[in-house]
Amino acid sequence: MRAAIALIPLALLAACNDAGTVDKKNASTAEVAKSVADAGMKLNPGRWELTMQFKKFEVEDMPPEAKAMMQKTLGETRTFASCLTKEEAEKPDGKFFGQQGEDCKYDTFTMGNGKIDATMTCKGTGEDAGNMAKMTLAGTYSPDTYDMTMDMNGTAPNGKAMVMQMALTSKHKGECKGDEQG
């Protein structure tokens, strides 16, 4: 689940101007960030409001009552506000594109012409070291909005198969107000 939440900054990338295209395979988050910057894709600075909703969350052999509670909790729509400075918008770094380090790599990352498609594989760390998670992100973007779906297949902390789907939408809301989370 941490890996899924870490992809939220990547979704903000969809707000960038469509100056070129990026097509990467087996790339780190830093490599993707550099390719996006080199292609001339820049973000709109200011306040962005992201709405996130879990559409699906299933864990193998989860008791029905636990599943119902989880669906109720995760089914709530959550909205986050973030503030991108002009400098951050013009040169997004590796941390902007999801988890950094050796734990996650983009299998594929394609962005251009108003569409984004990416797949990422993350290795677990610590107690989850043997676990892997595969994520896909697909959607559309314009300079001021985006609409994306993220799917994740992996292993829950209890070692059982886990499937999750999340819808992400965001809108550029003008100037930062000072109450944003990031």
Side-chain angles (χ1 to χ4, degrees):
M1 179 111 86
R2 267 182 320 152
I5 301 302
L7 282 177
I8 291 171
L10 168 65
L12 278 175
L13 169 64
C16 65
N17 298 318
D18 199 15
T21 59
V22 174
D23 189 14
K24 300 294 286 182
K25 293 185 183 349
N26 195 29
S28 69
T29 56
E31 289 171 310
V32 168
K34 182 176 181 338
S35 294
V36 169
D38 290 349
M41 295 180 180
K42 291 185 169 65
L43 306 168
N44 287 331
R47 182 181 178 96
W48 279 86
E49 291 182 4
L50 169 73
T51 301
M52 175 180 77
Q53 183 177 27
F54 284 88
K55 297 291 189 177
K56 179 193 276 188
F57 186 85
E58 298 174 0
V59 176
E60 179 184 10
D61 297 333
M62 180 181 271
E65 55 280 351
K67 183 177 181 179
M69 187 175 73
M70 187 70 79
Q71 286 177 333
K72 181 180 179 199
T73 302
L74 295 177
E76 297 172 6
T77 300
R78 293 178 173 88
T79 300
F80 304 92
S82 63
C83 181
L84 295 176
T85 67
K86 183 178 179 191
E87 295 76 25
E88 291 168 330
E90 290 179 357
K91 293 223 179 232
D93 62 13
K95 70 181 176 199
F96 190 82
F97 291 80
Q99 289 192 348
Q100 285 187 298
E102 299 299 314
D103 297 334
C104 294
K105 275 213 171 252
Y106 283 102
D107 303 315
T108 61
F109 182 94
T110 303
M111 182 176 181
N113 301 315
K115 294 182 181 181
I116 183 168
D117 287 293
T119 59
M120 176 182 267
T121 301
C122 294
K123 296 182 279 185
T125 59
E127 292 178 14
D128 297 328
N131 298 339
M132 298 286 280
K134 181 83 152 192
M135 288 164 274
T136 60
L137 183 68
T140 58
Y141 64 91
S142 71
D144 292 313
T145 63
Y146 70 82
D147 187 8
M148 309 238 176
T149 300
M150 187 195 73
D151 291 284
M152 184 179 98
N153 291 298
T155 307
N158 66 1
K160 301 289 186 170
M162 178 176 68
V163 176
M164 180 173 56
Q165 184 179 69
M166 186 183 333
L168 305 165
T169 57
S170 191
K171 292 186 181 191
H172 184 254
K173 295 290 192 171
E175 299 295 318
C176 296
K177 296 179 181 179
D179 62 349
E180 298 85 3
Q181 288 119 353

